[in-house]
């Protein structure tokens, strides 16, 4: 049996080698990926397709990574090289993206089929190789169509260099060593929506009914969670007052969602083309309910502080996070240290990673971690538990966030516009090139509510994932001009001016592959300029002194108006990349463009791209001393986290919110507070 498996693996490697060599053709260089393998840390994942664990959350067919969901974390230190091997034992093709990782010199490892690689075929082995250049929290996830929604994701934690400057002294100058120790044991926490349907099934329903789907079944934390079915009265009592205004006399569905025929959220022009008979009852209108377990992390007050990195791997919702009776010291956003902010709540958008310290100074007990959908599209939440050692399972704490994302006390939210890099890091004062992009429903598909464009003209076609020779493997001089392909020159500074059409401007989390950018400005209203210089002359405010430095940012939501935002980045990572919305059905609906960075210095992939090399390196991550064995993910356990079966999770009104409706103090949600600040009125 073992011999048969080995034979198949060797055959797969040989086949992959032949495919890649032929595919590369004249574009391939003589450089070899495997020439570097001896110094690289080996890390392997084994992908299978099968039912998820029914004790944790709704069970359905999903992508299991080394038999689990999420997959095992990869821990490295700045300077480490990794050989990341994928054993595709699924019946489906795939590709793995390393979200936020700068692929300088390794553009063939970005993991986007049709752009930087061919798909990984079923029954084959494929290896990525890259070097950890920047510290922080990142993650690997599927980048073939909407497969991320099927559970393929895992954390990447990169420790800083020994001489790196850290902001610990700005948080607590008397506890620098304690904060450093906590940061070295940071716990990654994935937050996602989890649906009864696979993504391909979900998207097929969306297309058949001709709707822009925005209704999920549940929120899960590290794969654990329940589908709650509270009463209509409870849902209405927890919802934002703005929801009632937008609904204009209609009601939320039994799953807490805006109805699929709402002209405000769907667009009145599409209602005549809907086929709501194609919607299954439980897609919007029937809440089935499911009692799963709650994720529990155990903390020890003796440690002083606990560090978390919350990662939003959701298909649809932006999420707001709070822990009863605990404040956060946010110190890192999207893998970059920031000037710390002490807050009560933080919104984490799709694809973003927010790292923070929690001071462990409360009475030992169990404190609820609340994760609420931060948008108006649906009223629902997920829950986890932070359990102090010695607390005897006693539930304690005062909530600041209800089931519908409304504040129950006065709070300080995280302000992403003030997330200045630490140490200071500024962009160029002007750009060499500007691109104007316009997020809207696809003008070329005027009857299809699910179709989007980022360019303002065409929808990105995800059939490119399957049939197109990857852009990286093409002769860049022969790639036809298109509104879906942007081209830049080496070392230029580029402005991406992104406009979001109204009258309902949804929040769109836009992610750029390859390298980070500076978020220099955003606002509500028209932006009738083709460059930032003219906008500054006209009095528009921009932040060129301390702008956030990130790989993803979310547009301001607006009702009755359009919005805009501007990203500025330096072309210092040549290759073929994507810029896209991280809401998975928006991405699949066409909200993406490709960027060919540095066409005057365009890289040529090595001839052995995807080959399996023999790495023998060791990770320099603090506390990891053993060589990682291929295929095992050795040394990457779940820390102190446990599953607490005693936590109450029901499929009706959450126990944590029984009777809370009468005592809720309505105030502006932290999402609005955080995102409206992005007007950058300096």
């Amino acid at each position: 049996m073992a011999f048969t498996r080995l034979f198949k693996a060797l055959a797969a490697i040989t086949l992959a080698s032949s495919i890649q060599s032929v595919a590369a053709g004249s574009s391939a260089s003589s450089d070899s990926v495997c020439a570097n393998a001896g110094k690289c840390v080996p890390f392997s994942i084994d992908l299978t397709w099968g039912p998820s664990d029914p004790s944790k959350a709704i069970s359905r067919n999903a992508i299991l990574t080394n038999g689990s969901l999420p997959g095992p974390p990869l821990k490295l230190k700045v300077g480490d090289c990794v050989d990341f091997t994928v054993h595709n034992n699924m019946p489906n093709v795939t590709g793995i993206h390393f979200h936020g990782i700068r692929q300088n010199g390794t553009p063939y490892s970005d993991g986007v089929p049709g752009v930087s690689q061919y798909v990984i075929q079923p029954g084959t082995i494929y290896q990525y190789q890259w070097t950890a250049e920047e510290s922080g929290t990142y993650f690997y996830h599927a980048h073939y169509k909407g497969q991320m929604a099927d559970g393929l994701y895992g954390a990447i934690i990169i420790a800083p260099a020994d001489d790196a400057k850290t902001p610990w002294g700005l948080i607590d100058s008397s506890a620098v060593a304690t904060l450093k120790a906590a940061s070295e044991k940071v716990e990654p926490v994935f937050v996602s929506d989890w649906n009864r349907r696979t993504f391909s099934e979900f998207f097929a329903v969306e297309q058949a009914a001709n709707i822009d789907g925005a209704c999920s079944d549940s929120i899960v934390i590290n794969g654990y969670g329940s589908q709650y079915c509270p009463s209509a009265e409870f849902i209405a009592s927890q919802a934002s007052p703005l929801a009632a205004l937008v609904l204009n006399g209609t009601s939320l569905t039994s799953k807490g969602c805006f109805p699929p025929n709402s002209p405000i959220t769907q667009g009145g022009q599409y209602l005549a083309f809907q086929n709501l008979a194609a919607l299954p009852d439980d897609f919007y209108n029937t809440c089935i309910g499911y009692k799963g377990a709650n994720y529990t992390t155990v903390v020890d007050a003796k440690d002083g502080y606990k560090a978390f990195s919350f990662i939003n791997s959701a298909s649809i919702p932006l999420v707001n996070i709070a822990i009863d009776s605990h404040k956060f010291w946010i110190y890192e956003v999207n893998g970059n240290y920031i000037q710390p902010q002490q807050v009560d709540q933080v919104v984490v958008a799709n694809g973003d990673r927010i790292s923070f310290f929690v001071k462990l100074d409360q009475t030992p007990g169990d404190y609820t971690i609340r994760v609420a959908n931060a948008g108006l599209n649906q009223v629902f939440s997920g829950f986890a538990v932070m359990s102090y050692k010695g607390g005897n399972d006693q539930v304690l704490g005062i909530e600041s966030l209800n089931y519908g994302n409304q504040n129950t006390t006065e709070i300080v939210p995280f302000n992403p516009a003030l997330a200045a890099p630490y140490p200071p890091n500024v962009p160029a004062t002007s750009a060499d090139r500007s691109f104007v992009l316009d997020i809207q429903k696809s003008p070329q598909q005027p009857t299809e509510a699910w179709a989007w464009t980022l360019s303002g003209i065409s929808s990105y076609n995800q059939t490119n994932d399957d049939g197109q020779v990857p852009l990286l493997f093409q002769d860049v001089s022969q790639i036809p001009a298109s509104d879906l392909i942007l081209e830049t020159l080496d070392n230029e500074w580029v402005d991406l001016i992104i406009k979001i059409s109204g009258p309902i401007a949804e929040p769109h989390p836009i992610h750029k592959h390859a390298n980070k950018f500076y978020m220099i400005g955003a606002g509500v209203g028209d932006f009738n300029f083709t460059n930032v210089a003219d906008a500054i002359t006209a009095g528009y405010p921009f932040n060129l002194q301390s702008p956030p430095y990130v790989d993803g940012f979310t547009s301001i939501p607006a009702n009755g108006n359009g919005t805009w935002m501007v990203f500025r980045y330096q072309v210092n990572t040549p290759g073929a990349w994507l810029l896209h919305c991280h809401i998975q059905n928006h991405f699949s609906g066409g909200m993406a463009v490709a960027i060919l960075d540095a066409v005057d210095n365009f890289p040529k992939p090595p001839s052995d791209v995807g080959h399996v090399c023999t790495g023998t390196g060791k990770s320099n991550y603090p506390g990891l001393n053993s060589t990682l064995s291929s295929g095992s993910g050795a040394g990457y356990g779940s820390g102190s986290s446990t599953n607490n079966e005693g936590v109450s999770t029901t499929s009706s009104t959450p126990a944590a919110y029984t009777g809370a409706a009468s005592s809720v103090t309505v105030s502006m949600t932290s999402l609005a507070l955080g995102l409206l600040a992005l007007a950058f009125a300096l």
Side-chain angles (χ1 to χ4, degrees):
M1 196 69 181
F3 177 78
T4 302
R5 184 176 177 86
L6 176 61
F7 179 80
K8 288 182 177 180
L10 290 172
I13 295 170
T14 302
L15 176 60
S17 300
S18 301
I19 290 173
Q20 294 298 331
S21 295
V22 172
S26 60
S27 296
S29 73
S30 59
D31 294 335
S32 169
V33 175
C34 287
N36 299 318
K39 63 182 181 181
C40 294
V41 177
F43 187 86
S44 294
I45 59 173
D46 189 335
L47 305 179
T48 54
W49 179 257
S52 59
D53 187 343
S55 71
K56 294 181 178 180
I58 297 169
S59 183
R60 65 154 171 97
N61 279 340
I63 300 175
L64 304 179
T65 306
N66 294 8
S68 67
L69 191 168
L74 167 62
K75 295 185 178 182
L76 302 168
K77 187 172 181 176
V78 166
D80 284 347
C81 168
V82 63
D83 283 332
F84 192 105
T85 305
V86 180
H87 300 255
N88 185 9
N89 289 309
M90 301 189 296
N92 312 308
V93 301
T94 194
I96 307 297
H97 172 55
F98 303 94
H99 188 108
I101 296 295
R102 185 185 177 200
Q103 297 288 353
N104 188 28
T106 53
Y108 44 83
S109 289
D110 193 49
V112 182
V115 177
S116 57
Q117 72 166 80
Y118 290 86
V119 292
I120 305 173
Q121 295 291 339
T124 65
I125 306 173
Y126 191 98
Q127 190 175 88
Y128 300 93
Q129 185 182 97
W130 48 268
T131 298
E133 291 191 10
E134 300 169 312
S135 65
T137 298
Y138 305 88
F139 67 117
Y140 61 89
H141 66 78
H143 215 295
Y144 177 76
K145 299 182 179 175
Q147 277 183 344
M148 189 182 76
D150 294 324
L152 203 177
Y153 43 82
I156 301 172
I157 309 295
I158 302 175
D162 293 338
D163 60 352
K165 292 184 178 180
T166 60
W168 313 149
L170 301 178
I171 295 172
D172 188 343
S173 60
S174 66
V176 170
T178 299
L179 292 169
K180 179 178 183 293
S183 72
E184 291 176 352
K185 295 186 290 184
V186 62
E187 180 176 356
V189 180
F190 280 96
V191 176
S192 187
D193 50 349
W194 190 243
N195 295 308
R196 296 174 181 276
R197 291 170 177 81
T198 66
F199 180 78
S200 61
E201 292 169 343
F202 182 96
F203 195 55
V205 170
E206 187 181 50
Q207 291 177 301
N210 197 24
I211 61 167
D212 181 19
C215 192
S216 302
D217 290 331
S218 62
I219 289 178
V220 294
I221 295 96
N222 274 350
Y224 292 84
S226 299
Q227 181 178 12
Y228 299 104
C229 295
S231 67
E233 293 76 16
F234 180 83
I235 289 173
S237 72
Q238 303 288 290
S240 165
L242 181 59
L245 295 176
V246 176
L247 285 165
N248 193 27
T250 59
S251 300
L252 296 171
T253 72
S254 63
K255 288 172 66 174
C257 302
F258 271 74
N261 60 350
S262 168
I264 296 296
T265 56
Q266 292 291 329
Q269 71 271 32
Y270 296 105
L271 298 187
F273 303 102
Q274 288 184 334
N275 177 22
L276 298 187
L279 284 178
D281 287 341
D282 67 322
F283 209 80
Y284 272 88
N285 294 311
T286 300
C287 185
I288 296 175
Y290 192 89
K291 184 178 180 180
N294 273 355
Y295 181 74
T296 299
T297 180
V298 177
V299 298
D300 190 340
K302 293 179 181 178
D303 293 334
Y305 286 89
K306 171 71 175 181
F308 292 102
S309 281
F310 272 75
I311 306 167
N312 186 335
S313 54
S315 298
I316 297 173
L318 290 74
V319 295
N320 196 15
I321 297 162
I323 303 178
D324 289 358
S325 294
H326 288 79
K327 293 181 180 291
F328 307 154
W329 272 109
I330 297 178
Y331 66 85
E332 181 187 293
V333 176
N334 286 6
N336 196 71
Y337 292 138
I338 67 166
Q339 295 285 338
Q341 293 184 36
Q342 189 178 41
V343 304
D344 299 285
Q345 299 173 9
V346 58
V347 172
V348 185
N350 312 61
D352 284 352
R353 296 88 58 210
I354 306 289
S355 300
F356 55 84
F357 294 114
V358 176
K359 192 170 186 179
L360 304 176
D361 59 356
Q362 298 297 305
T363 302
D366 287 356
Y367 293 84
T368 301
I369 302 172
R370 302 177 188 273
V371 180
N373 177 41
L376 290 178
N377 59 297
Q378 186 173 3
V379 174
F380 74 140
S381 280
F383 306 93
V385 176
M386 188 176 75
S387 179
Y388 280 73
K389 285 185 178 180
N392 300 319
D393 299 328
Q394 183 181 8
V395 179
L396 301 173
I398 299 172
E399 70 179 56
S400 67
L401 182 70
N402 77 2
Y403 186 76
N405 191 45
Q406 302 308 296
N407 304 329
T408 57
T409 61
E410 292 297 320
I411 62 100
V412 175
F414 174 61
N415 188 335
L418 299 181
Y422 180 91
N425 182 14
V426 298
T429 56
S430 62
D432 302 298
R433 187 185 301 267
S434 299
F435 296 100
V436 179
L437 303 170
D438 194 349
I439 293 176
Q440 57 180 293
K441 292 296 183 74
S442 173
Q444 295 186 345
Q445 297 161 272
T447 64
E448 296 176 340
W450 51 269
W452 290 87
T453 176
L454 177 54
S455 72
I457 302 172
S458 307
S459 295
Y460 183 82
N461 189 347
Q462 286 203 324
T463 60
N464 293 343
D465 292 11
D466 298 299
Q468 174 176 284
V469 175
L471 292 171
L472 185 65
F473 289 81
Q474 296 183 39
D475 181 344
V476 70
S477 66
Q478 299 302 310
I479 297 175
S482 167
D483 63 290
L484 294 175
I485 301 178
L486 314 181
E487 295 187 2
T488 69
L489 298 178
D490 202 13
N491 289 317
E492 284 186 319
W493 281 91
V494 176
D495 280 347
L496 300 172
I497 299 169
I498 302 173
K499 301 192 293 184
I500 302 90
S501 297
I504 294 293
E506 302 176 33
H508 294 284
I510 304 300
H511 170 56
K512 184 189 181 299
H513 288 218
N515 59 341
K516 293 181 174 68
F517 57 81
Y518 297 90
M519 174 61 193
I520 64 171
V524 176
D526 295 331
F527 190 90
N528 298 318
F529 308 96
T530 58
N531 61 74
V532 168
D534 288 347
I536 291 175
T537 300
Y540 279 61
F542 286 87
N543 182 354
L544 299 177
Q545 290 75 44
S546 58
Y549 185 58
V550 291
D551 53 62
F553 213 88
T554 301
S555 62
I556 301 170
N559 182 11
N561 217 326
T563 65
W564 57 271
M565 57 185 178
V566 180
F567 304 163
R568 177 168 291 179
Y569 76 98
Q570 186 177 22
V571 181
N572 57 18
T573 311
W577 319 108
L578 271 188
L579 178 78
H580 67 95
C581 181
H582 227 265
I583 294 174
Q584 292 299 288
N585 52 330
H586 289 182
F587 176 38
S588 292
M591 198 183 297
V593 296
I595 302 178
L596 305 181
D597 270 334
V599 293
D600 55 334
N601 187 27
F602 207 65
K604 293 182 179 180
S607 59
D608 57 349
V609 166
H611 289 203
V612 178
C613 315
T614 303
T616 58
K618 294 183 179 181
S619 173
N620 292 312
Y621 192 90
L624 292 181
N625 298 313
S626 61
T627 300
L628 301 180
S629 58
S630 180
S632 69
Y636 297 100
S638 58
S640 60
S641 302
T642 61
N643 171 24
N644 184 347
E645 297 293 347
V647 175
S648 174
T649 56
T650 66
S651 57
S652 57
T653 302
Y657 289 108
T658 302
S662 61
S663 63
V664 170
T665 301
V666 176
S667 62
M668 184 179 292
T669 68
S670 61
L671 173 68
L673 283 170
L675 293 179
L676 287 178
L678 300 184
F680 285 83
L682 302 177

